């Protein structure tokens, strides 16, 4: 069973930056797409960004385009999310996951058990 461990969250002021990491451990891991989701208080979990195995294609939800950058290191089974110019509305618990395929907009069905997530809090 693959385990996901997210890290890198914290408390920052609006306009600040954070870099999230998600390490996958366990059995051989080579999913086609990896990505990030987030869940704000009182809201459903939503798609944030994804990246295919080669790294050639990345996808973002509209609200983070131009501010967030997703990347992955397949050798380390790790996916990253660089978040710049953070806004209070980015406050949420961030989770990573993976899947065997994605839509043309990069949205995918997560197939792994969710990790504990990492809290990102942006103050105004």
């Amino acid at each position: 069973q693959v385990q996901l461990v997210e890290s890198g969250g914290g408390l920052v002021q609006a306009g600040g930056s954070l870099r999230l990491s998600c390490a996958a451990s366990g059995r051989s891991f080579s999913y086609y797409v990896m990505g990030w989701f987030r869940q704000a208080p009182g809201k459903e979990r939503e798609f944030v960004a994804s990246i295919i195995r080669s790294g050639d294609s990345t996808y973002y939800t509209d609200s983070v385009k131009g501010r967030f950058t997703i990347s992955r290191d397949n050798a380390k089974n790790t996916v990253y999310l660089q978040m710049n110019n953070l806004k209070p509305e980015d406050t949420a618990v961030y989770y990573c996951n993976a899947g065997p395929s994605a839509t043309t907009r990069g949205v995918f069905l997560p197939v792994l058990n969710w990790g504990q997530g990492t809290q990102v809090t942006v103050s105004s």
Side-chain angles (χ1 to χ4, degrees):
Q1 184 65 282
V2 176
Q3 290 184 320
L4 300 170
V5 179
E6 300 93 345
S7 61
L11 172 63
V12 295
Q13 290 187 332
S17 299
L18 286 172
R19 187 186 191 221
L20 306 184
S21 299
C22 171
S25 62
R27 64 175 178 85
S28 180
F29 180 85
S30 182
Y31 283 93
Y32 176 73
V33 57
M34 297 185 70
W36 289 90
F37 296 77
R38 66 187 180 186
Q39 186 167 21
K43 295 187 177 180
E44 294 190 353
R45 187 149 33 200
E46 64 172 352
F47 169 82
V48 175
S50 64
I51 183 169
I52 66 171
R53 184 184 294 125
S54 67
D56 290 344
S57 296
T58 57
Y59 307 88
Y60 302 92
T61 192
D62 287 345
S63 62
V64 308
K65 285 181 180 177
R67 301 188 296 120
F68 290 11
T69 302
I70 188 171
S71 60
R72 65 190 285 175
D73 184 335
N74 292 330
K76 296 181 179 180
N77 289 340
T78 301
V79 62
Y80 305 96
L81 187 67
Q82 177 67 44
M83 306 187 296
N84 297 328
N85 190 21
L86 283 161
K87 303 177 180 181
E89 52 263 42
D90 295 318
T91 295
V93 179
Y94 284 70
Y95 303 87
C96 68
N97 215 299
S101 63
T103 70
T104 55
R105 298 187 64 179
V107 179
F108 66 97
L109 180 66
V111 298
L112 300 176
N113 291 332
W114 295 101
Q116 83 288 349
T118 186
Q119 175 71 49
V120 172
T121 303
V122 185
S123 62
S124 57

